[in-house]
Amino acid sequence: MADEEDVPVAVPPVVVPTLPAPAPAATGRSPRGARFAGAAEEAVVERPTREDDALGAADLAEVGRTVDVLARLRREGRSGEAHALLAEVAGWEPGRFPLLAVRLHQAGLAADWQTLLWEAASLPAGRLVAAADELAAAGRADDGRQMLRQGVARPAGEIGRAVLGLVAEGCHREVRVLLDAYVRARAPEEAARSAEPEPGRLVPLLLEAARGVSDERYWDIVHALRVAGFAA
């Protein structure tokens, strides 16, 4: 790409929004899932806890009941019902995910945790990022990254529209997290297609995300955008 570095990059005439760098998700957060399961080893770093950071009693009870039901369905070979339950659980509040991870592993249902991560990848973009944040805060950053990678496997146009929705809501950190995962996980040609819903706003955001990954990824995205007709 050395010859392209001498060629000015032409993009639609918009002001590139400056998004704040994402703050580490674990800052100031307590590893809630590990704390309530009595499994501090699940957390990368133990932090002081406060009672008002805790999940409510109803959340704890619901998670426990659900894992018990799931274990019974697996013992009885009722896999269809088990999968339907996991699909329902994927729509729960993001704060429950760390506790679900711990309880499922304790119950010997690690495979079901992987299925739950896959199901959760279809969450709306904002909730997807929030769930990944909760997992990172509980010392499960790898699970959060896996969820994001799977979440950005959706069609390119859907990613573009999701980003526009987050921008409209002022969720700039979520935009940055989502696009960072997107430009890392998807081929440049696919990433470029996500600009179709509104190139004037999405092209600069894609370029900013790609630049944050590496110079090589930035120029790959630049080329893909040119080929796609989104840059003169």
Side-chain angles (χ1 to χ4, degrees), residues 52-112:
D52 59 357
D53 286 335
L55 289 176
D59 293 305
L60 299 174
E62 183 67 15
V63 170
R65 282 194 299 268
T66 299
V67 172
D68 288 345
V69 169
L70 185 61
R72 176 169 55 81
L73 291 174
R74 290 303 187 193
R75 286 195 303 271
E76 296 173 359
R78 297 156 65 182
S79 57
E81 292 171 75
H83 191 94
L85 179 58
L86 288 169
E88 178 183 345
V89 168
W92 279 3
E93 288 301 311
R96 289 181 173 183
F97 274 80
L99 181 59
L100 278 163
V102 174
R103 292 290 175 85
L104 286 170
H105 282 83
Q106 288 179 338
L109 299 172
D112 284 315

Side-chain angles (χ1 to χ4, degrees), residues 157-183:
E158 186 177 335
I159 292 288
R161 289 188 292 273
V163 169
L164 291 173
L166 290 172
V167 170
E169 295 170 6
C171 300
H172 299 303
R173 195 193 73 84
E174 287 79 359
V175 168
R176 184 160 189 139
V177 171
L178 187 69
L179 285 180
D180 177 82
Y182 185 58
V183 300

Side-chain angles (χ1 to χ4, degrees), residues 175-201:
V175 168
R176 184 160 189 139
V177 171
L178 187 69
L179 285 180
D180 177 82
Y182 185 58
V183 300
R184 289 177 187 273
R186 304 294 292 273
E189 296 76 16
E190 294 173 325
R193 286 198 294 273
S194 69
E196 288 180 0
E198 194 170 336
R201 299 177 70 186

